[in-house]
Amino acid sequence: MCLIFGQKKKNGYRGYEIAALHVARTFGDNKTVKILDFAAGTGLFAEELLKLGFRNVDAMDCNEKLLDISRSKKIYRDLYLVEPHPTALHAIPDDTYDLFLSAGTFFVASSYPGAEYFEEMTRIVKPGGMILLVTSEAYVTDQCTWNDWDTIRAFEDRGVLRAGHVIRGEAYRNGHTAAVFTYEVLQTQ
């Protein structure tokens, strides 16, 4: 099953705006960082990044129609059409990106991406780089049993990554607040 993201701004969705602001806060004037927009959809996130001066962005998605829309906007350097599975990241060489970003994709439900992607995410992000995941706070409660936080903690215990504080409170969509997860990659797998 391929998930569809970023088709249009509806229900007050702001995940892409929140993500872009966090990129600007994190990287400041370093506009040359290499970014992978995972589950890029129609490119809402990249459009926001362009407004902030970031231009070194690649897109990855499993929906060809959405990538075609992104391609027509000429907002990404490279676009990857992939299957919705962690092995999709195998095509990316080690230590390629300064930032792996996904807004509105991770931890949503058991059929959406989650901890099973961290092995590949930490491989393709350079040491010192970041993983930034933005989702609704409603998807990361104790009742959401599909989230495998133990897997992520194991990466921390092995010294592969360091979790930052989960930032909550910004308006995300339809009266829900955002949960912004940041992870610093300390070493490649």
Side-chain angles (χ1 to χ4, degrees):
M1 176 177 76
C2 186
L3 310 171
I4 299 174
F5 303 99
Q7 288 181 302
K8 58 184 172 181
K9 304 170 192 177
K10 61 181 186 178
N11 298 326
Y13 176 64
R14 294 190 56 246
Y16 61 96
E17 294 171 339
I18 294 167
L21 290 173
H22 281 276
V23 170
R25 287 180 200 141
T26 301
F27 293 100
D29 290 334
N30 184 2
K31 307 295 185 191
T32 62
V33 293
K34 190 164 185 181
I35 301 168
L36 177 62
D37 182 2
F38 181 83
T42 60
L44 295 175
F45 170 65
E47 290 175 321
E48 289 298 311
L49 281 181
L50 282 171
K51 293 176 190 175
L52 298 170
F54 294 91
R55 301 194 180 326
N56 197 7
V57 185
D58 293 344
M60 182 176 279
D61 204 291
C62 62
N63 187 301
E64 188 171 8
K65 289 179 182 178
L66 296 182
L67 279 181
D68 286 345
I69 294 168
S70 287
R71 184 176 288 108
S72 72
K73 294 178 179 180
K74 299 181 182 346
I75 53 177
Y76 291 107
R77 290 178 45 142
D78 290 313
L79 294 98
Y80 299 95
L81 176 64
V82 297
E83 292 297 316
H85 190 271
T87 58
L89 298 173
H90 286 178
I92 308 292
D94 294 359
D95 303 334
T96 298
Y97 291 100
D98 300 296
L99 175 67
F100 177 103
L101 175 117
S102 191
T105 310
F106 275 76
F107 311 126
V108 174
S110 61
S111 62
Y112 282 60
E116 71 277 7
Y117 280 76
F118 271 72
E119 183 97 25
E120 286 298 302
M121 289 166 26
T122 57
R123 182 188 63 77
I124 67 172
V125 174
K126 301 171 188 174
M130 300 292 295
I131 297 168
L132 177 67
L133 307 174
V134 180
T135 192
S136 171
E137 191 171 21
Y139 301 138
V140 292
T141 67
D142 292 338
Q143 289 77 35
C144 299
T145 58
W146 57 82
N147 293 323
D148 184 4
W149 304 115
D150 291 338
T151 296
I152 298 168
R153 277 192 285 280
F155 281 99
E156 289 184 90
D157 292 345
R158 291 190 350 238
V160 174
L161 61 79
R162 178 179 29 246
H165 297 288
V166 179
I167 302 162
R168 302 170 192 264
E170 295 184 60
Y172 179 76
R173 170 189 274 167
N174 244 8
H176 293 276
T177 55
V180 180
F181 295 84
T182 58
Y183 301 91
E184 179 184 3
V185 176
L186 302 176
Q187 64 181 351
T188 309
Q189 290 291 311

